[in-house]
Amino acid sequence: QARLVESGGGLAQPGGSLKVSCVGSGFSFGEYDMSWIRLAPGKNVEWVCGISSDGRDRHFENSVEGRFTISRDNAKNTVYLQMNSLKPEDTALYFCARRKQSASSWSGLYDNDLWGQGTQVTVSS
């Protein structure tokens, strides 16, 4: 069965850094674009960033551009999210998602067809 499992979340200080990972299994990982999406308390689900299947193209939501970076290692079936200069508003449950091969955009909820269980990132002040 196809699945995504996130890990690496935890508590960070404002201005600090954290790296989370997502491992895929049960499907051809290297054939799919991947995204990171987060759910903050009291907020709607928000697309954070995405990466093309070959890792060459990367896309970021404006609030995280310059602070976050996305990368992948297809040999390890893993996509990473490096978060720097963290802010309290980055506190959220972070999900890894597989982008539909038929998707025409990145940031829509329905652009994805597989989700992980999420990993909690808390930035406290």
Side-chain angles (χ1 to χ4, degrees):
Q1 70 278 30
R3 64 186 298 179
L4 297 168
V5 180
E6 301 93 335
S7 63
L11 179 65
Q13 302 281 44
S17 297
L18 200 64
K19 187 175 185 177
V20 295
S21 302
C22 172
V23 178
S25 61
F27 68 99
S28 298
F29 186 85
E31 296 179 2
Y32 288 87
D33 299 338
M34 301 295 296
S35 287
W36 285 98
I37 297 158
R38 65 188 180 185
L39 177 61
K43 301 292 181 64
N44 290 323
V45 172
E46 179 184 41
W47 174 82
V48 176
C49 57
I51 188 168
S52 62
S53 60
D54 61 5
R56 286 183 166 84
D57 298 319
R58 304 158 197 257
H59 310 268
F60 299 89
E61 193 272 328
N62 288 340
S63 69
V64 307
E65 191 168 9
R67 299 189 298 120
F68 290 10
T69 189
I70 186 171
S71 61
R72 67 191 296 162
D73 185 345
N74 286 342
K76 296 180 178 179
N77 289 350
T78 303
V79 62
Y80 306 93
L81 178 63
Q82 176 68 52
M83 298 175 281
N84 300 320
S85 301
L86 283 163
K87 303 175 180 180
E89 52 262 44
D90 293 320
T91 294
L93 186 62
Y94 282 74
F95 297 92
C96 178
R98 185 179 75 180
R99 184 170 179 252
K100 293 178 179 178
Q101 291 181 323
S102 61
S104 57
S105 64
W106 283 91
S107 61
L109 178 67
Y110 294 110
D111 291 331
N112 309 291
D113 62 5
L114 182 68
W115 299 71
Q117 84 289 348
T119 187
Q120 178 67 38
V121 172
T122 301
V123 184
S124 72
S125 58

